[in-house]
Amino acid sequence: MHRRQKPSSPERKRDLGAHGGALSVSRNDTRSFFNFSQLVLSAGHLKSPPVLKHSKITYFEVEILDVQSKKQICIVDKVPPSSTLLDVKHKFHKACPQWYPSRVGLQLERNGPYLKDSINIQSLAVSSIITLYFTDLGQQVGWTTFFLTEYTGPLLIYLLFYIRLSTIYDQVESTKNFRHPVVHLACFCHCLHYIRHLLETLFVHKFSGGHTPLKNMIKGCAFYWGFTSWIAYYINHPRYTPPSFGHRQVSFAALAFLMCEAGNHFINVTLAHQNHSGLKACFPSPTYNPFTWLFLLVSCPNYTYEVGSWISFTVMTQTLPVGIFAFLMVVQMSLWAQKKHKLYLKRFYPEVRRKAAMIPIIF
């Protein structure tokens, strides 16, 4: 048998030291774990930040040159790829305050078309530097202001001639001559036409914030206001003679005028509803309203009704100025209708290919 030997004093001290050391280590671990737990609770979730695979964003620089001199006006830097041309115009306006966005015309080429504000800047980029040519479009006005000004003038001008101001007509001759009923009817129809235009501008047509040069509004006002003065002067003149066929001619023409005015209004309402209904784009289709059935024959019935109103007004009053104005309106409306018809052919070819632009068979 082997007798178990007592450990010597140094060995006993070593064992006690090791045991005490183990106890001290366990106490330290407990404290460390407690401190670490408090740190985690105070700091929140212990999660490493996500690693961005594509953290580098490519920005564009837009160099804007004068379209005539080709001199550099400014450089718009740090343009994000998602920016539109309107965003570039706003930054350009900050650099050059004298040119606000609606006055700025930007082209990709010197003789190219003006770029739309909604176009994405990335679609124009060939490299990180995009060169655009700047044109000052002049002072701009909103479309609502444009039409309100253009249509308010004829309404007021005609009424001034209707009341026969002494500065326009001879006062003695005006009181002696009897006014034919067609004069009063013509005033009613003329005012009704432009009041309809004004109300549709305010409540039917929806303009997307577009602008047009001020010179265009001046041209439009000169055309409408000038012809209205000429027309109103002859119809309200004390020596005005009624139509050749008398009451029948006036009644038939007045009825046609009112029908064309009603048709024009219902067509404009249909087009406004079609453009802002949020449905899939398609060519406007006739409704239960008989005035919209003209969509079956022509692609621009609003121009058809507009021309019909002025032709009817010409027959009703039988005056040369109205006839000339109606002829010019036929020419202008036919040009607009042809242009719009071509756009319809690109978008709605199967539905529009058998239709005329404005007048069946002729256009």
XYZ file of all heavy atoms in Angstrom, residues 89 105 142:
17
model
N -33.065 73.604 -65.286
C -33.455 75.000 -65.498
C -33.531 75.764 -64.182
O -33.165 76.945 -64.116
C -34.794 75.060 -66.224
C -34.727 74.650 -67.691
C -36.078 74.835 -68.375
C -35.996 74.478 -69.849
N -37.288 74.678 -70.549
N -34.913 78.230 -73.070
C -35.072 77.188 -74.083
C -33.753 76.462 -74.268
O -32.728 77.090 -74.572
N -48.644 82.640 -68.831
C -49.342 81.369 -68.690
C -50.470 81.242 -69.699
O -51.017 82.238 -70.201
